[in-house]
Amino acid sequence: MTPRERRLREQAQRHRLILTTAREMAESEGWDYVTTRRLADRIEYSQPVLYQHFKNKDAIVHAVALEGFAELAAALRTAREEAGDPQETLGAVARAYVDFAEHGPVLYEAMLTLDPGEDTGEDTGEDTTGAAGTPAPLADVLAEIRQAVEPAAAGRDSGLLTEVLWSAWHGQAALTRAGRLRPDPARRRLAALTDALLGPAAQPV
């Protein structure tokens, strides 16, 4: 291994250590507890070394959020590929989304509640779901939802339905975590939403 290769590997290891430690600290104490000083102390590097990788805490949260979107997209993909008919597929993807938010609330907070910093997404000019400049990992999440929606959309705007479902799933996850919704009927709420949007009564005539 050349000196340059060794240096690049060490940089990648430090980068990974910073993100992993930030997530662990946030899961233990919350994101307010995570500061660059505490993080540098925890990983036993100086703050200048940490700033070689991330310019501030917001940049760290942004990187964690992008990782979270990638993990969520993978979870939705697995749910979609293992399901059966269109209705079952959409229900499985809905449950996978809400389960992800429930089991990783601190990560989900970084993804959709906290300011993730500057957007690094690229505008490809393609017909995609979501706002302009949506980061690629979030675009992958929306693409997974849209693939589950399209077979059941019956000619309607699958992009619009994707955004409606995504916002509804996020709302349920956020309200349940805040104690504003009863946790027990969560699955029935998801099923009712799917039926209302994609069931026979909602199909175009």
Side-chain angles (χ1 to χ4, degrees):
M1 179 181 297
T2 67
R4 181 177 183 277
E5 290 172 336
R6 184 179 298 106
R7 185 170 59 254
L8 291 175
R9 185 179 68 174
E10 291 173 351
Q11 289 175 348
Q13 290 172 340
R14 284 198 301 269
H15 186 96
R16 167 51 38 208
L17 178 62
I18 291 168
L19 294 183
T20 300
T21 305
R23 287 177 64 163
E24 291 173 350
M25 291 172 64
E27 288 168 0
S28 175
E29 302 288 344
W31 281 110
D32 287 343
Y33 177 79
V34 180
T35 65
T36 55
R37 179 179 297 277
R38 287 175 176 151
L39 187 54
D41 289 342
R42 180 71 65 88
I43 63 177
E44 298 182 342
Y45 286 118
S46 67
Q47 284 184 281
V49 171
L50 190 149
Y51 290 138
Q52 291 175 9
H53 295 268
F54 300 99
K55 64 181 181 180
N56 52 34
K57 174 185 171 178
D58 286 346
I60 295 172
V61 175
H62 180 64
V64 169
L66 294 182
E67 286 190 342
F69 286 127
E71 293 171 18
L72 176 56
L76 300 185
R77 185 177 307 112
T78 296
R80 178 176 58 81
E81 292 176 347
E82 292 180 352
D85 60 66
Q87 197 84 355
E88 178 186 342
T89 297
L90 193 55
V93 170
R95 291 190 296 272
Y97 186 100
V98 172
D99 286 348
F100 182 93
E102 178 184 353
H103 296 143
V106 171
L107 176 59
Y108 191 74
E109 182 182 13
M111 293 161 57
L112 292 175
T113 304
L114 297 180
D115 180 2
E118 295 182 1
D119 177 25
T120 58
E122 296 181 357
D123 185 359
T124 62
E126 298 176 355
D127 181 17
T128 57
T129 302
T134 297
L138 174 53
D140 290 342
V141 169
L142 297 176
E144 288 298 329
I145 298 174
R146 189 166 184 169
Q147 287 192 64
V149 166
E150 284 178 340
R156 290 178 295 165
D157 186 341
S158 60
L160 178 63
L161 291 177
T162 294
E163 292 177 335
V164 169
L165 285 171
W166 176 39
S167 59
W169 297 345
H170 170 61
Q172 174 165 320
L175 290 171
T176 300
R177 186 188 177 201
R180 306 302 184 187
L181 289 176
R182 295 170 296 154
D184 294 341
R187 296 296 178 94
R188 288 191 285 118
R189 279 195 295 267
L190 290 176
L193 177 64
T194 300
D195 290 343
L197 285 177
L198 303 179
Q203 302 305 315
V205 295

